[in-house]
Amino acid sequence: MSLTSAPVEIILYILQSCDSFTELRALFSTAAVSTVRATALVHDAHRDGRLPPKIRPEDLTGELRKPSLQELESVFGLHHFVQCVELRYITLKLHEGFANHHDLSRWPLERDSVDLPLIFPEEPEGMPVWRGRFHRAAYTSLLMGAVFARAYNEPFYAPDLDPDLTSSSSTTLDQRAAEDAPQAMSDSHKARGELLNSIRRAVFNRVQGKFHHRENGAHNFYLQKEEIECLRQFPVYDLNDELGGQEKVFGPFIEWFMRSTVAEYRATEPTPASRDPSRPELVMDTETEEHQNNAYWIYPSMAHYEWPEDGTQLTAWFKGGSPAEGEAILWAAMQSIHIFEFILTCISNLDGAWRFGRDSRKNVALFSGQTVTAKVALFGVFQAEEILMPFQIDDSVDQHLLARRPVASTRPSYLFPSPPGVEEDGHAPEDPSGEANPGTELLDIPSFLEELYNYSGMPNVYSGNIRENLPPPPLQLFIFLLQHHFRLQFYKDVFQTYWEDGQDYWNFRNMATIFSNGLELVPNRNPIMCRSGMEFLVPYQKPDYEFDESRWGYTRSEYSWNPRTYEPNTSYFDDL
């Protein structure tokens, strides 16, 4: 179907949704169409109660097959969602100390002004480039959620109901069991069934406001060693890749991600200027300003103390292209991390329940006027969801977007019946909107990942310092990219959670200058503000790590159970 043959209302919506022909063309880019198609595969699997299939982004592009009318409608629903996220991003209010600080300003220094109610990150002529960069990162993060929905859900579905003949795991427990003996297969099913029941029971208790506790803090899943070992056969749950299976799961997507990013870089005019903070000339500039202004916040982290002293750049070990192309890949990866974290903060559950890392809300504010719905499978959630948004994008600024689970026509093909205390169909409490929603199962992967990180016994801190947390899930995809293609890693202090301090990852999550236009477009801009996220990276060293059993000791804050969502004490800003 061509655009000219689409119904009039769709054409009008298209034209109203896009500020320019450039944005219209970008909307039909590979990322947008591929994301819609990948998400549809996850939603179809959810509807049929089965495991999502393997998804290869290169097989889903609009170049291979023109979008249908239904896909067009989904593209613009997703575009509406990204527009709502963008407006919330631009109007986000930060803590005064953070927003006004020299180097942690929300926008580049020359864009800051207390006289304007809405401060855009760039001049009007620079916004199309900024917006294109922001939207590509958003679509990429949404695509990642759909692609990896299979890997994160796989342990909870029976292998004989798998739509693919081969498991996405490298050598799963079920594959080995099938080769050995029927009894081994039966034991495998039982272990996975008990694992699922533990998770569903715990999430149900959380939804109902019931909690179990360990002596030293909150604990919900009570996973046994056998269950953990069963789970680690699936590489995304082997958090430190100790069994070596992550390359088979992450590798194909990362190869596509690098190819598509390099293609985008080569097509960009003018060629983006380097943002590598380890460049000798940039290091010299920052050191000069540091001495002149006595400002020790030149970098957003202390990682630069571990950069090579001989001037070797952070892209030196990248072999998949030029250093500039390697830098473009790193920048795109860090943007994807930044934006997926922000997207998660924009959403509440329609039923007000505590689920998928979202706080419970007694009174969920429903949108008063016409709404738009987008189908998503968010990275970090890995489940089919529908996002309800106001038709007027401006109305999304002061109210969370609302998520609900779509209706499933078939009960999910989980291994065992519901555990005691959970309704037989596994559904969540009733939707306050009054609509029956029998697709709201209680498989809460974000909560489970937090539990696994904190209490499974798998290493979660660097040896010798419990304040230096290892990167928490689901960041393993990006850790794989950094280690295998760049020989880089996050600086050890990035995820520290000492209650009196700030946190580098918190700085990174709030560092909106990661989308700012560079020196090729704004030649007089302070180079320090041309962020790429590489400021938090250092050369890779094989880690010496351990499991920290005292996750809730007196030195830790109530937020320290998840370093990704850590919020520093407000007194942190007093000395800025």
Side-chain angles (χ1 to χ4, degrees), residues 17-33:
S17 299
C18 300
D19 295 335
S20 65
F21 178 77
T22 301
E23 186 176 347
L24 176 62
R25 183 176 60 183
L27 187 56
F28 288 99
S29 68
T30 299
V33 174

Side-chain angles (χ1 to χ4, degrees), residues 443-491:
L443 184 54
D444 189 335
I445 289 177
S447 297
F448 183 52
L449 288 173
E450 290 179 347
E451 181 79 10
L452 201 66
Y453 179 80
N454 282 301
Y455 301 116
S456 68
M458 283 186 275
N460 52 17
V461 296
Y462 290 97
S463 296
N465 191 342
I466 64 171
R467 291 173 56 179
E468 295 178 343
N469 297 302
L470 290 173
L475 295 177
Q476 280 67 30
L477 170 67
F478 304 99
I479 302 305
F480 174 86
L481 167 66
L482 294 175
Q483 292 182 6
H484 286 254
H485 294 279
F486 291 90
R487 288 178 58 187
L488 294 174
Q489 66 183 41
F490 280 104
Y491 179 55

